[in-house]
Amino acid sequence: MKLFYHPDQQRHAPPTFLLRGRPVDSPEGPVRAELLTRGLASMGLSMTPPTEVDSARLRDRLARIHAPRYLDFLETIHARWRALPNAAEIVAPNVHPCGGGHHYPRHPVGLVGWHMHDMACPMTADSFAGILASAASAEAAADAVLAGESAAYALCRPPGHHAGPERAGGFCFLNNAALAATVLRERHERVAILDVDLHHGNGTQDIFYRRGDVWTGSLHADPADFYPFFWGGADEHGEGDGQGANVNLPLPLGSDGAAFLAQLDRLIEHLDAFRPQAVVVALGLDAHKDDPLAGLALETEDFITVGRRIAALGLPIVLVQEGGYPTEHLGDNLAALLGGYTAA
């Protein structure tokens, strides 16, 4: 298995985000990559950087899943924000078009509110470079699978599965899993995205909700009680060409590994019925019981079984890192999952 990570991802390092009205230390920072890298090193694995971070090909592929005005926003908003009188160093929204806006704003404050649907995506001057490096790592893993690798892993931070066609949220800016699926679609007619993160992949769902060529399935804590709150219900099946190609299996808060694995088997049954030719795994490790954003209660050993069940799909696989936040167990959880995968 080839593994990809670009060190420029460290350039995205906002110190805080707003949680329940209070600024708190952000769990989505460079230390995540350090802990995950230690987990890989414990297995004797090392990562390779993508050969290019900002290529015309990457930009073209991103434009297939994100609106051009959103991509322009991510690249230019910090400079436009800092040009405002008395603007903070960090870009963060203070207004949102709740209920739906009637026109696209021109002012930077309005743009930030339009494109950031929560307070978990602050941006610094170096953020866009880190965001692009994260996407390039996912692209490199998908390209490796197209080139003949049976599986590849991309360590991506910031993560991506909450990022929709033109919205950032939940620490996510560019949808790395959707990008990997877009790369795989260049050769395969049917691609599946299997999301095992603690949180529903609402951005991924939004991107493919009306498409029948990319199946999306998510296993997550019930959004009635948990982020992202407004998406991820079991009644969301897709629309138009995508009818039936979206499956959500919410779990009650606090569900343990046995409940998670039972629902994972159900989700894989749906995936198998779609008959994909390749799979992207949106790989969250934040379902662990000690994760700082804990909503489920998996043990490290449960991730071994998750890895085995992914391997049993018997298809080309791109593993794209999503959540999983700093604890002493984070690297072990990644090593457990990859160990289960490679041993299957």
Side-chain angles (χ1 to χ4, degrees):
M1 180 186 295
K2 288 190 175 180
L3 304 96
F4 295 91
Y5 169 77
H6 198 286
D8 277 0
Q9 292 181 43
Q10 304 294 73
R11 295 177 65 181
H12 175 64
T16 63
F17 80 112
L18 198 66
L19 179 65
R20 298 174 185 171
R22 296 181 183 276
V24 300
D25 292 344
S26 178
E28 206 303 288
V31 69
R32 289 187 66 221
E34 296 167 11
L35 294 170
L36 292 166
T37 299
R38 287 180 206 168
L40 296 174
S42 73
M43 303 177 68
L45 299 173
S46 59
M47 290 176 292
T48 301
T51 55
E52 289 186 271
V53 168
D54 189 1
S55 67
R57 186 173 65 165
L58 175 59
R59 297 274 185 152
D60 174 71
R61 286 164 162 172
L62 288 171
R64 299 180 208 168
I65 56 174
H66 293 294
R69 68 185 186 184
Y70 175 61
L71 297 173
D72 180 70
F73 163 82
L74 291 177
E75 186 168 11
T76 65
I77 189 56
H78 190 272
R80 298 174 68 182
W81 178 268
R82 289 292 291 151
L84 296 173
N86 302 314
E89 170 60 31
I90 292 177
V91 175
N94 60 270
V95 62
H96 293 283
C98 295
H102 291 286
H103 65 86
Y104 188 66
R106 183 167 53 232
H107 194 281
V109 171
L111 289 170
V112 172
W114 184 279
H115 289 299
M116 293 182 170
H117 72 232
D118 61 31
M119 300 294 290
C121 290
M123 294 180 69
T124 66
D126 285 337
S127 283
F128 184 69
I131 292 163
L132 208 58
S134 181
S137 299
E139 179 189 42
D143 278 333
V145 169
L146 282 191
E149 293 290 323
S150 60
Y153 166 79
L155 198 171
C156 295
R157 66 144 303 269
H161 72 152
H162 297 305
E166 61 171 355
R167 297 286 191 277
F171 307 130
C172 302
F173 300 87
L174 294 174
N175 197 305
N176 302 313
L179 173 62
T182 297
V183 174
L184 294 177
R185 273 287 290 115
E186 293 172 4
R187 179 169 302 167
H188 302 291
E189 292 184 2
R190 293 184 308 281
V191 173
I193 300 177
L194 179 67
D195 193 324
V196 296
D197 190 273
L198 167 65
H199 306 89
H200 175 248
N202 58 298
T204 310
Q205 173 176 295
D206 196 17
I207 288 168
F208 297 111
Y209 203 61
R210 294 166 183 83
R211 287 174 55 175
D213 58 328
V214 178
W215 178 92
T216 49
S218 182
L219 177 62
H220 49 269
D222 193 334
D225 302 301
F226 206 68
Y227 187 90
F229 296 111
F230 313 114
W231 309 272
D235 59 343
E236 298 162 20
H237 305 297
E239 294 178 353
D241 291 345
Q243 181 66 39
N246 187 83
V247 178
N248 293 323
L249 296 182
L251 286 163
L253 283 182
S255 293
D256 63 10
F260 185 95
L261 293 168
Q263 289 291 74
L264 178 60
D265 285 342
R266 284 189 60 207
L267 193 60
I268 288 174
E269 288 177 5
H270 287 284
L271 183 153
D272 286 339
F274 179 73
R275 295 181 296 112
Q277 297 157 308
V279 176
V280 175
V281 178
L283 179 57
L285 300 170
D286 41 1
H288 188 267
K289 64 179 182 178
D290 293 333
D291 192 272
L293 303 180
L296 299 175
L298 273 65
E299 304 281 353
T300 295
E301 292 73 18
D302 293 318
F303 290 106
I304 299 174
T305 307
V306 174
R308 288 174 179 161
R309 296 192 182 168
I310 292 169
L313 295 173
L315 293 165
I317 298 282
V318 181
L319 298 130
V320 176
Q321 189 65 53
E322 297 288 355
Y325 298 95
T327 71
E328 61 179 316
H329 306 288
L330 182 56
D332 294 336
N333 294 338
L334 177 59
L337 189 140
L338 293 181
Y341 181 92
T342 56

